Amino acid sequence: MAEKQLSAVEAELYDRQIRLWGIESQEKLRAANVLLINIRALGSEIAKNILLSGINSLTILDDGTVTEEEQQKNFLLNKGSVGNPIADEVLIKAQALNPLVKIKVDKQPPSSKDSSYFKNFTIIVATCIKTDLLLKIDKVCRSSNVKLIYGDVFGTFGFSVADFLDHNYHEDQIKLAGKKRTHGEKDHEKTTIKVQGVINYPELKKVLILPNTKQSADSIKKSKRRNELFYIMLALMEFRNKNNRNPAIESKEGDLKTLETIKADIFQLYEVDELKTKLPADIFELVFGEEVVPVCSVVGGVIAQEVIKAVSEKEVPVNNIFLFDPITFDGKEEAIGA
Amino acid sequence: MVVTQITKETIGNSKVLVVGAGGIGCEVLKNLALSGFKDIEIIDLDTIDVSNLNRQFLFRKEHVGKPKAVVARESILNYNPDIQIKAYHDSITSQDYGLNFFKKFNIVLNALDNRAARNHVNRMCLAADVPLIESGTSGYSGQVELIKKGVTQCYECQPKPPQRTFPGCTIRNTPSEPVHCIVWAKHLFNQLFGEEDPDQDVSPDTEDPEAKVEGQAHSATNAGNIQRTSTRRWVQDIKYNPSQLFNKFFKEDIEYLLKMENLWKTRKPPVPLSWEQAASHEGDSVEEENNVRMQDMKVWPLSKCAKVFASTIDVLKNEVSEDKFLVWDKDDKPAMDFVTACANIRAHIFSIATKSRFEIKSIAGNIIPAIATANAMIAGLVVLHAFRVLLQEFEKCPSIYLRQKSVHSKFILAADKQITAANPKCYVCSPKPFVNVFVNTNSMTVKEFETEVLKKGLNMIAPDVVLDGRGMVVISSEEGETEINNDKKLAEIGIVEGSILKCDDFLQNYELSVAVNQYEAKEKDDPLYKIVANPDDLKAKESVNGGEKNGNEEEKQAESDQDDLMVVEESDDPQEGSSKRRKLNPIEDNDDDLCIIDS
Ligand SMILES: [Zn+2]
């Protein structure tokens, strides 16, 4: 078991972030055990950022093999790794990012893991998984006090969905204390006030409601001013659930049709008037192709920062969905199911 | 279609310059390489430090001390050996990177950490008509902005908030905040061990206008000023004896200050402290702690400060010699310990809050916190904008701001609705750049005008200046041509109220007309000079005292940016005052070298 307090080496290495989030946050990070499910283009970005932050351990669970395309988009992979297990291939470069973090790899399929496997982590980060598995993991997480965040990138569109349970956090608010000093000059001492907050995250089965499931979408559809990218997110998740893959350029024509059908079902479920949506008609053009690398950089940065917030219980986290707009490049929170 | 997607061919045929291989630079390089860019050049002046490794992920522990540009190139090649990538361990402001260098590129991506270099690249890209994507992060916040000649505003279109400087007499006579004591302690370090700089005097300032008494303008002034010229020799004569040094700076100088009675009419007077009092001060029972939290995060008791004062002097004195002086460095342990001890001793004397070594290091070293996640987000957006720029879709690249999430805002990334047009009165990118400068033509020398106003204030590198109407060359970038003018006052060579100076920087391909206005500083806090870009601002600016402190000479720029003291004003930070979108002045990511004081 590691020492609770930071060593001088760690203090030097993490100096620039300790100055931002404080030493208590850093100590919580160094005690955190993170599970990353699937380490593809987005997963490699998340892994990089959380390894750099100085967690205790990272377990990489991925049963995939390296493809030519994957090799080109994942900086943790080397040339010549095509055909080998991804989890094995990323290990050397991942470890080099931060030798202080314990990294384990697991090449079994995530779906083969029983519930007890997921209970041993501080937080689980999932990418590229199907919704039923995600909901199953969420159920385990909720019973074992493990936080969960899921995210994906399709083309230039990306998002994340979090379940941080009943999340207590604090943030520092800086106040200029204009206290008068005895000699009449203002002392512009800054004082930092700790402000506490709590967010009660809904369980994911009340957040990710797809057509043909037993869950009622009633609580969700009432909301006005919905960020309509939420429906695009659901459509892409449903596409993968049904087709066991992402939309692909090779089968673009057929995939577009499938996506439009799914979208129509989702609009029906959520009682969205297609004519009134502001989504561009060709929005699905943007989701084809592999994960676009700079979008993974953006979304991977957002998800890793949420992991850091969840672990350190510092700063306001996203509640509960993050949507990256592939047209404007806005990145917004959308509260669903609360 | 809403977005034209960029093709592999367009990316593969584009030549990109990345300026800076720090936090954002590493992320940008990775994104470029993974996106299929094949022709990249990278320039960075810096070498790798341990504190970079929490985010500059192309570097590892064994690279510490090596040039960033070179190691970044090796790391990228290690990922993909087929990329053409050229590295320069150099300053982008060097004469070697002229217009023809910039014209080679389809796009320039800035990943810089200081304003002077940003201003320079801005001008080079305007002159070469190459699109520039400017970016920066500071803690949780960041920003991405396209700069394209004739389409968007330039980096210098909007005046940037001045960096905070402090009047000399506040530092020397009447400190009221911890930062004043920290600046003083750094000056003391330079007085004892560094290159001598008369502007960093630490002894009482007898010229303080506040201290003057009616009828006896220069009563007790001489002693201080004589001492001032010979500090170093005296220190050597007493062989850096710690207790004598202590008594001089913390007892005798303070007693001297107390004699300047006017200063203490409304302030709490300082309390002189002798070596003996400090060394035996109560609270010394604290044992030396080995862990960081105790050593760095706790405020040292006074007796420990005295002990550290003495022990660091013993170390540092052996490092200086006749021909070698020290440059203060926050990462040099004895130098940082010395400043911590001295700042807190002085704070104690003036009843100012004392600080931990950790906090003092932030202020003295001007450290901007930096994290991997913010850099990754910003670098992703930089390359997404680069795709659109290469498709000539400039209007689809409005500025984007990364902000810390708050309960009041749904936005994490907030993009402007449209691109921002240039300021028609910008003194850099308008067709006929023009600026008003306020100086005292009777006291400012030509040399001061060149270094302070033209180089530091207006960011020129090697200006040639002709006095309009008379056709007289007053400043030349050619060596030996105008040195004769250096020590002359501006008025002596005919530069007076109403004069127009044609200033030309050949490297930046930049011609600026400077209108000279006579101005005399009235208050002790008044700046040495003022620069006013928009004549409409003249009235407003004049009434807001201190709004333009660029010229304040008190906190002068040292040799490197590295340690300069610059306090980022709260208002720069978009995270505060959550509802309004505020432009942040991207400082950098790279803390360490940050901050050129614009003075
Ligand atoms: Zn401009």
Side-chain angles (χ1 to χ4, degrees):
Chain A
M1 193 61 217
E3 287 281 310
K4 192 178 174 280
Q5 290 196 317
L6 291 186
S7 68
V9 171
E10 289 168 289
E12 199 182 11
L13 176 60
Y14 302 127
D15 182 87
R16 294 306 182 269
Q17 60 201 46
I18 292 172
R19 285 176 197 280
L20 188 64
W21 52 54
I23 199 147
E24 291 83 6
S25 296
Q26 194 62 48
E27 283 169 353
K28 284 180 185 163
L29 280 166
R30 86 199 284 280
N33 300 306
V34 183
L35 171 66
L36 175 63
I37 301 174
N38 291 326
I39 187 156
R40 313 302 164 88
L42 175 62
S44 67
E45 284 288 334
I46 299 168
K48 174 200 68 191
N49 296 333
I50 56 180
L51 284 168
L52 291 170
S53 79
I55 53 168
N56 179 54
S57 77
L58 178 69
T59 304
I60 297 166
L61 177 62
D62 193 324
D63 63 337
T65 48
V66 181
T67 63
E68 188 71 42
E69 271 181 340
E70 187 57 43
Q71 192 271 316
Q72 282 169 17
K73 287 183 187 297
N74 188 331
F75 65 94
L76 295 176
L77 295 173
N78 284 303
K79 273 219 149 168
S81 57
V82 175
N84 298 339
I86 291 183
D88 286 341
E89 289 294 326
V90 296
L91 184 59
I92 293 173
K93 283 191 175 172
Q95 189 68 74
L97 288 171
N98 192 343
L100 300 179
V101 181
K102 302 172 195 81
I103 304 180
K104 287 169 247 173
V105 297
D106 190 330
K107 289 175 279 184
Q108 290 184 328
S111 55
S112 72
K113 295 287 177 189
D114 64 25
S115 322
S116 61
Y117 180 82
F118 299 105
K119 293 181 176 172
N120 304 316
F121 301 98
T122 317
I123 183 166
I124 295 173
V125 188
T127 68
C128 304
I129 64 168
K130 288 191 180 180
T131 315
D132 54 356
L133 179 59
L134 179 68
L135 296 185
K136 185 189 138 197
I137 295 170
D138 184 52
K139 203 175 161 199
V140 180
C141 286
R142 291 191 78 86
S143 68
S144 324
N145 202 27
V146 177
K147 290 175 180 175
L148 173 66
I149 186 165
Y150 153 73
D152 259 317
V153 167
F154 291 86
T156 46
F157 173 55
F159 56 83
S160 72
V161 184
D163 181 2
F164 292 166
L165 316 171
D166 294 330
H167 181 71
N168 289 286
Y169 65 92
H170 71 272
E171 55 177 332
D172 292 333
Q173 287 182 0
I174 295 165
K175 294 256 149 68
L176 278 184
K179 60 171 178 187
K180 285 271 188 180
R181 291 177 64 85
T182 44
H183 49 62
E185 279 184 10
K186 271 236 177 97
D187 188 287
H188 293 291
E189 264 305 280
K190 282 181 281 186
T191 50
T192 307
I193 304 167
K194 253 191 181 183
V195 181
Q196 305 280 346
V198 61
I199 297 176
N200 305 111
Y201 284 78
E203 56 187 315
L204 293 190
K205 71 173 186 188
K206 291 185 177 156
V207 177
L208 303 172
I209 300 170
L210 294 163
N212 313 315
T213 47
K214 285 174 209 149
Q215 283 288 329
S216 155
D218 285 353
S219 62
I220 295 175
K221 66 189 165 199
K222 282 182 199 115
S223 173
K224 296 167 277 180
R225 290 197 294 175
R226 165 84 65 239
N227 183 339
E228 292 171 332
L229 290 170
F230 170 65
Y231 305 121
I232 301 302
M233 174 187 105
L234 291 180
L236 288 161
M237 291 174 72
E238 183 68 347
F239 181 96
R240 187 161 54 205
N241 293 339
K242 287 189 161 165
N243 297 277
N244 235 342
R245 60 170 176 85
N246 288 6
I249 289 172
E250 304 78 59
S251 49
K252 190 168 172 182
E253 215 175 308
D255 287 357
L256 270 177
K257 269 189 201 145
T258 313
L259 282 167
E260 288 297 338
T261 311
I262 296 171
K263 189 176 82 175
D265 288 347
I266 289 172
F267 279 176
Q268 197 184 6
L269 176 65
Y270 289 90
E271 295 169 12
V272 178
D273 183 350
E274 169 114 47
L275 297 171
K276 284 185 187 160
T277 72
K278 295 188 192 87
L279 289 169
D282 54 355
I283 182 78
F284 285 126
E285 291 285 339
L286 295 169
V287 306
F288 277 87
E290 297 291 305
E291 299 159 282
V292 169
V293 168
V295 176
C296 294
S297 187
V298 175
V299 178
V302 171
I303 292 175
Q305 191 58 48
E306 292 306 306
V307 170
I308 292 165
K309 288 183 206 169
V311 168
S312 64
E313 298 170 312
K314 179 113 197 263
E315 313 302 345
V316 187
V318 172
N319 178 22
N320 48 357
I321 291 179
F322 170 81
L323 296 161
F324 179 70
D325 189 319
I327 298 160
T328 63
F329 299 159
D330 282 313
K332 284 165 82 174
E333 171 190 76
E334 187 71 13
I336 300 283
Chain B
M1 212 151 104
V2 281
V3 173
T4 11
Q5 308 241 38
I6 192 155
T7 61
K8 285 254 177 252
E9 288 67 43
T10 311
I11 289 175
N13 293 330
S14 300
K15 192 172 174 66
V16 189
L17 174 65
V18 180
V19 189
I24 296 177
C26 283
E27 294 280 349
V28 164
L29 285 168
K30 174 248 321 169
N31 290 344
L32 292 174
L34 295 178
S35 299
F37 284 87
K38 300 240 174 320
D39 191 355
I40 303 168
E41 298 196 4
I42 169 77
I43 179 165
D44 196 307
L45 180 62
D46 237 356
T47 53
I48 297 158
D49 184 81
V50 181
S51 63
N52 301 146
L53 302 180
N54 76 324
R55 62 196 185 282
Q56 299 176 20
F57 68 96
L58 298 177
F59 315 139
R60 291 199 293 274
K61 204 154 193 182
E62 61 265 30
H63 298 133
V64 167
K66 292 186 177 165
K68 288 185 176 178
V70 174
V71 178
R73 174 180 173 275
E74 285 165 8
S75 283
I76 292 295
L77 285 178
N78 185 22
Y79 158 75
N80 182 352
D82 302 332
I83 297 174
Q84 296 281 326
I85 177 164
K86 201 167 170 184
Y88 306 86
H89 178 215
D90 205 350
S91 165
I92 191 64
T93 60
S94 147
Q95 310 262 354
D96 295 342
Y97 311 103
L99 221 47
N100 286 331
F101 175 79
F102 279 87
K103 280 182 176 164
K104 292 190 299 190
F105 300 99
N106 298 93
I107 187 166
V108 174
L109 309 178
N110 261 0
L112 281 161
D113 58 12
N114 68 82
R115 201 185 281 177
R118 285 192 164 102
N119 287 345
H120 181 76
V121 177
N122 177 49
R123 292 172 194 194
M124 297 307 294
C125 288
L126 290 170
D129 198 10
V130 177
L132 165 67
I133 297 177
E134 171 60 58
S135 63
T137 60
S138 169
Y140 296 112
S141 311
Q143 176 180 341
V144 178
E145 175 183 24
L146 167 67
I147 292 162
K148 164 71 182 163
K149 188 182 179 180
V151 179
T152 72
Q153 64 175 7
C154 84
Y155 184 69
E156 295 170 86
C157 268
Q158 304 302 331
K160 303 278 184 287
Q163 286 157 349
R164 194 176 173 193
T165 58
F166 305 99
C169 28
T170 303
I171 301 302
R172 290 166 63 183
N173 294 359
T174 53
S176 60
E177 298 173 35
V179 63
H180 301 149
C181 300
I182 295 166
V183 171
W184 181 89
K186 282 177 73 180
H187 289 181
L188 179 61
F189 178 92
N190 286 340
Q191 289 290 313
L192 298 183
F193 313 108
E195 192 176 25
E196 285 192 82
D197 179 348
D199 290 320
Q200 300 200 344
D201 204 334
V202 292
S203 59
D205 180 6
T206 54
E207 300 298 312
D208 191 335
E210 249 196 284
K212 283 182 187 145
V213 180
E214 291 293 322
Q216 45 162 138
H218 291 274
S219 55
T221 60
N222 285 338
N225 289 344
I226 290 165
Q227 190 68 67
R228 152 188 186 166
T229 52
S230 57
T231 302
R232 179 64 66 86
R233 172 155 305 167
W234 173 72
V235 169
Q236 284 162 350
D237 286 348
I238 62 159
K239 298 196 171 60
Y240 286 92
N241 179 305
S243 60
Q244 270 178 279
L245 287 172
F246 193 100
N247 285 333
K248 155 87 174 87
F249 295 112
F250 299 114
K251 182 170 173 282
E252 290 150 31
D253 278 357
I254 303 298
E255 286 166 351
Y256 188 87
L257 274 178
L258 286 171
K259 288 187 200 151
M260 297 156 77
E261 288 169 6
N262 271 9
L263 294 179
W264 316 112
K265 282 187 174 159
T266 58
R267 293 185 181 88
K268 186 176 178 195
V271 182
L273 182 72
S274 72
W275 167 251
E276 291 72 24
Q277 288 170 310
S280 61
H281 199 268
E282 284 172 34
D284 195 24
S285 55
V286 183
E287 282 296 301
E288 281 296 304
E289 293 281 350
N290 256 339
N291 75 64
V292 186
R293 234 176 140 140
M294 297 301 283
Q295 277 279 26
D296 259 31
M297 306 282 173
K298 280 243 163 108
V299 178
W300 297 346
L302 190 61
S303 56
K304 175 165 181 182
C305 291
K307 218 161 84 186
V308 171
F309 175 83
S311 64
T312 50
I313 285 174
D314 277 343
V315 175
L316 294 165
K317 75 177 180 200
N318 295 324
E319 293 174 22
V320 272
S321 59
E322 279 296 307
D323 49 354
K324 185 173 163 269
F325 56 83
L326 305 182
V327 177
W328 189 81
D329 177 359
K330 65 182 183 309
D331 295 316
D332 181 34
K333 190 172 182 298
M336 187 59 230
D337 286 346
F338 176 85
V339 164
T340 305
C342 293
N344 277 340
I345 296 166
R346 191 166 169 88
H348 176 88
I349 288 167
F350 283 89
S351 312
I352 296 166
T354 48
K355 299 258 168 196
S356 71
R357 186 185 189 274
F358 184 81
E359 290 173 295
I360 290 175
K361 188 174 177 179
S362 270
I363 299 168
N366 190 30
I367 298 173
I368 305 292
I371 50 174
T373 49
N375 289 334
M377 292 180 230
I378 289 301
L381 294 169
V382 166
V383 176
L384 286 174
H385 264 6
F387 290 167
R388 292 181 173 179
V389 166
L390 293 173
L391 294 167
Q392 309 289 310
E393 298 181 328
F394 303 122
E395 71 292 343
K396 286 184 181 167
C397 300
S399 299
I400 308 170
Y401 307 87
L402 164 66
R403 300 180 302 181
Q404 191 177 8
K405 178 78 184 65
S406 88
V407 281
H408 309 294
S409 170
K410 284 182 168 237
F411 282 92
I412 294 143
L413 298 167
D416 277 343
K417 292 279 172 264
Q418 60 217 9
I419 53 172
T420 311
N423 168 7
K425 285 172 181 157
C426 175
Y427 70 77
V428 175
C429 72
S430 61
K432 287 196 172 136
F434 176 88
V435 73
N436 274 287
V437 165
F438 290 74
V439 289
N440 189 338
T441 58
N442 299 317
S443 65
M444 182 178 272
T445 65
V446 173
K447 187 72 195 169
E448 276 179 309
F449 185 78
E450 183 186 350
T451 51
E452 295 296 321
V453 181
L454 297 181
K455 290 187 175 170
K456 286 183 188 164
L458 294 165
N459 218 83
M460 292 184 151
I461 302 286
D464 290 288
V465 180
V466 174
L467 177 52
D468 205 31
R470 291 216 249 152
M472 184 173 76
V473 178
V474 291
I475 296 170
S476 169
S477 58
E478 295 289 326
E479 226 168 284
E481 281 190 353
T482 51
E483 267 73 357
I484 192 165
N485 288 339
N486 278 357
D487 296 327
K488 291 182 182 159
K489 308 288 188 231
L490 294 175
E492 280 178 60
I493 58 166
I495 300 174
V496 292
E497 161 84 25
S499 293
I500 301 284
L501 297 170
K502 297 283 185 196
C503 307
D504 182 3
D505 190 296
F506 179 76
L507 177 64
Q508 295 176 340
N509 199 18
Y510 174 47
E511 277 180 55
L512 174 67
S513 297
V514 173
V516 176
N517 299 264
Q518 176 64 15
Y519 146 87
E520 278 162 42
K522 292 187 191 78
E523 300 292 321
K524 65 172 182 175
D525 290 9
D526 281 353
L528 182 65
Y529 65 89
K530 297 192 237 185
I531 293 170
V532 180
N534 186 347
D536 300 342
D537 293 344
L538 281 182
K539 286 222 169 80
K541 280 271 157 72
E542 276 169 351
S543 58
V544 183
N545 192 12
E548 195 86 6
K549 279 206 176 168
N550 285 0
N552 199 320
E553 64 177 342
E554 308 302 350
E555 184 53 18
K556 264 198 182 160
Q557 172 64 354
E559 291 303 292
S560 72
D561 321 343
Q562 177 116 319
D563 305 316
D564 241 299
L565 194 113
M566 186 216 66
V567 175
V568 182
E569 301 286 345
E570 268 75 53
S571 60
D572 286 359
D573 195 327
Q575 77 205 39
E576 312 228 349
S578 53
S579 60
K580 257 180 89 180
R581 177 171 313 169
R582 254 203 223 99
K583 212 159 190 185
L584 104 132
N585 233 333
I587 308 180
E588 102 350 309
D589 140 70
N590 228 351
D591 53 305
D592 333 16
D593 357 275
L594 195 88
C595 161
I596 289 242
I597 286 211
D598 263 12
S599 55

